[in-house]
Amino acid sequence: MYRTHQLITSPAPGRGSNRPRARFSSDAVEIDLGGQWRFRYHPRADRAPELPERGDDTIAVPGMWQLQGYGAPAYTNVTYPFPVDPPHVPDANPAGDYQRDVELPEDLAGRRVLLRFDGIDNAAAIWFNGTWVGETKGSRNTHELDVTAHARPGRNDLRVRVVQWSASSYLEDQDMWWLSGIFRPAAVLLRPALAIDDLRVRADLDVATGSGTLTVEVESEDPVPRISLVGVEVGTIRAGEPVTIPKVRPWSAEDPHLYTLRVETAGESAEVRIGFRTIDISGAQLRVNGVPVRFRGVNRHDHHPDRGRAVTLEDIRTDLLLMKQHNVNAVRTAHYPPLPGLLDLADELGLWVIDEADFESHGFVEIGNRANVADDPAYEDALVDRMQRMVARDRNHPSVILWSLGNESGPGRNIERMRQAALDLDDTRPIHYERDWTFEHSDLMSLMYTPVDVLERIGRFDADAGTASGARANTVGKRSLAEAAALAPKPFVLVEYAHAMGTGPGGLREYEELFRCYPRLQGGFVWEWIEHGLATTAPDGQPRYGYGGDFGEAVHDGNFVADGLLAPDRTPRPGLLDVKAVYAPVEIRVDAAQATITNRYERSDTSALAFVAQWSDASGVVTEEPLEVPSIAPGEHVRLPLDPPDGAALVTVVARLAQPAGWADAGHEIAFGEQLLGTPAVRPPLPERWQIEDDSLVAGGVRLEGPTLGAWRAPTDNDRAVRQVELGSTSEAAAWAALHLHAPGGRTTRLDRDGDAVHLSRRWGFAGRDVGFTEDTHARQHGGVLHLDTHFVPFGPWPVDATVPRLGLDLELPGLGAQTRVRWFGRGFHHTYPDTGSGMRLGWFDGTVTDLQEHYLRPQDNGVRSDVRALWIEHGEHWLQIAGEPFSFSLRPWSDSELDAAAHPDELGETGRLVLSLNAAVHGVGSAACGPGVLPQHRLRPTPAELHLQLAVVSA
Ligand code: GAL
């Protein structure tokens, strides 16, 4: 009891671990302890026996027990899921007793035996052969415990009691699932006598001369370790003494050149991959090797839908390869240090890393910051320990260029202590911390979700930034936050932006333009990489991804946990393709006669790229020819003439990798630019006669019911979010609901027939409201083609700031379903809204209705295809063809209301019909779920709009 009680209640760091040290691989023996362990779950730690039990159950290590049948996952964003009473936690505090046998060799030959745990959530006490040997706190920190005194050859008994909650839970309030267990690898290390106890490498670059200075500090009982740089002749390298190498190839995210350092002592031989680079801040710019850094970043959490935070190196590799393939050049390890393997890969593939300490105490804001652990002396040692563990482990990695003190923990004396602890171990990297708005303890200015108008002023060092529209209300002393940010002579990063929740994020392009324009704005990190949906089942047994509230939580934050560029199974969302286009390191602009190519790499020319021009004819047949592009220096551009062949309807210039890179094959597409030159070919109509009624359009077996006014959408996560700034404390969805846009009612005011022509006028309003749109539709047919020309004009006293989610005609196609095939010329393949879709190119695209849907964890409007000039929908033996001036459409087996009513995609089934929305205009999506709303230029006001369409039945 005593030990567990102490483990739970003490705000101090864990006990009994060795001093933290660097991670490196060597020839010393490591025994992986992954696999099935014996397990016993205790619903209350205070009722468990003193010594952890050897349970009858088994459990996977690494793993999280809530995902293996014990307890349940719980999700909160900011709120602590227990009463805030630091350092205490409730009695209902489960414990998991882990036991396994550890086989040690007969001959330990003077080796020390260490246990190494890379991650145990939340706190653990460890027994070896019946003796308590220490405890761990800091769920995402590595702990090594020396058990030599208790170890014996043959079978040893290792027991670990893990508690779900402890005093240190107050330090781990990150926005993610609350999950517990030994979730990162565990190992036994057999450390030889005269081993390398620690290793510190400094590999600086002299920017002026190109020389490198290498200093290797070795901690060992061997007084003369042998050190060499593989393949480089540098004479003798003595531990602790700098050596200069006249010419080195520097490391950067764009050219991640690594050298292999070999260190040998009498007991151990290690190889470490190192990179030469120098970080400094000059003129309010963060530079590496003298060149300012431009973060095209993402925030990444560990997540797997079956295993929670127990991710494998394969999961990490998948993530980092996807990042590189999508032009991402930086990752923030939100909000804790990653598995060390992530940093090895970042070194190798080339990613700038902000390595963040395992600290967030955001929940204290909900109680007025009373007793925030960031300022509580009782937590000082624990926070310093977290910082030291990260820096000591990770400081040899060239990819890590900033240390971050944690996330959203407010100001406090412990923040300063953490900074100092980091600098004591490593003064080569600047420090980042966003949530102390004096920025006293941060070498950079850093904010989250800043609106573009405020950011622009920060870029200009404009003291009026604080009064810009949309500035956050936060203040630092008498200054507004934005004003403070604008004035301080420090580099600026947007450490979180473009909240990728549900359909979106909108407005990426506008941020990018500012980053390009203002040297002080050094880019940002999209929030976030992956949606944290957990695999579970619906009541009827169908698989689904669960979010907050799906696991019986009393307090939760719903689907706010699902806000990533990847679906939980790591399938890219459309937003990732937009990120790829916006982050592209070359910008290609095309008009009919020429292509302008601008190099946006920080430091590389374009010689790694091959360019082609693709010419597409009206039917979509593509020919391709290489484009000779001279190598372009960073920041420079070239203009090249283009020579369209006869009949070219679309030209696309594509940049691809000329050679394989470590992260993609040769030919991998990096960027594209395009220009429409003609119109897509449509098929000749079948000579069918159209019957035009005010509630249906029928021709040759094709039946379209409607049209009716479409002026609503199933609100997206962004539409549903309450935005103080732009919307005066309401949400778009609430504003639309107040206008009852989902409940249109129409009245025919004119129906004239003149031979084959029909003139239909209707007045559309909304239940209980006196605003609406008049619709004037002129329909005439000619040789099987039905020409529909519709004009919408708003009427009535619309609220001044009113927006409408879309404006168009909705039709139902009875008898069609999810397998119906669709073909269109427009943007694709994925959806596009006015402020998204940079990654979607023009062309002909095919798919089924199912393929058109983007299933976010909570259903919402999605799947709108824009800039469409031709659309075909399979209908029995024929196709319905809709051509016209650019319009947008969605096609689904359910109505907007049905889509909106569902809480999970599995609740949406076949309905025996398709709903086709043909939109004249659509409202943007923004990123209001946690950020700015839709920018003015992408907002759809109740203004006049037009649709000009030609419908025909065509043969297959
Ligand atoms: C930020 C926070 C992240 C995440 C995000 C919203 O404020 O740092 O951890 O909660 O908001 O998804």
Side-chain angles (χ1 to χ4, degrees), residues 77 175 335 407-408 448-449 496 499 527 560 563 930:
N77 167 14
D175 175 6
H335 303 299
N407 187 55
E408 297 190 315
M448 299 178 178
Y449 309 110
E496 294 180 24
H499 193 256
W527 186 268
F560 205 64
D563 51 1
C930 186

Side-chain angles (χ1 to χ4, degrees), residues 709 711 739-745 764-773 798:
L709 177 81
L739 289 167
H740 291 174
L741 298 185
H742 61 289
W764 292 98
F766 309 100
R769 301 294 177 261
D770 61 355
V771 295
F773 293 91
W798 285 88

Side-chain angles (χ1 to χ4, degrees), residues 75-78 173-176 299 301 332 334-335 356 360 362 407-408 434-435 448-449 472 495-496 499-501 527-528 560-563 929-930:
Y75 167 61
T76 59
N77 167 14
V78 177
D173 187 30
Q174 291 94 338
D175 175 6
M176 59 191 193
N299 280 280
H301 265 283
R332 171 180 181 225
H335 303 299
E356 189 153 271
E360 175 162 340
H362 203 178
N407 187 55
E408 297 190 315
E434 186 269 348
R435 204 40 73 93
M448 299 178 178
Y449 309 110
R472 282 179 155 205
V495 77
E496 294 180 24
H499 193 256
M501 184 177 185
W527 186 268
E528 70 175 308
F560 205 64
V561 76
D563 51 1
C930 186

Side-chain angles (χ1 to χ4, degrees), residues 678-690:
T679 42
V682 290
R683 291 201 185 161
L686 294 174
E688 301 290 350
R689 237 196 103 64
W690 285 87

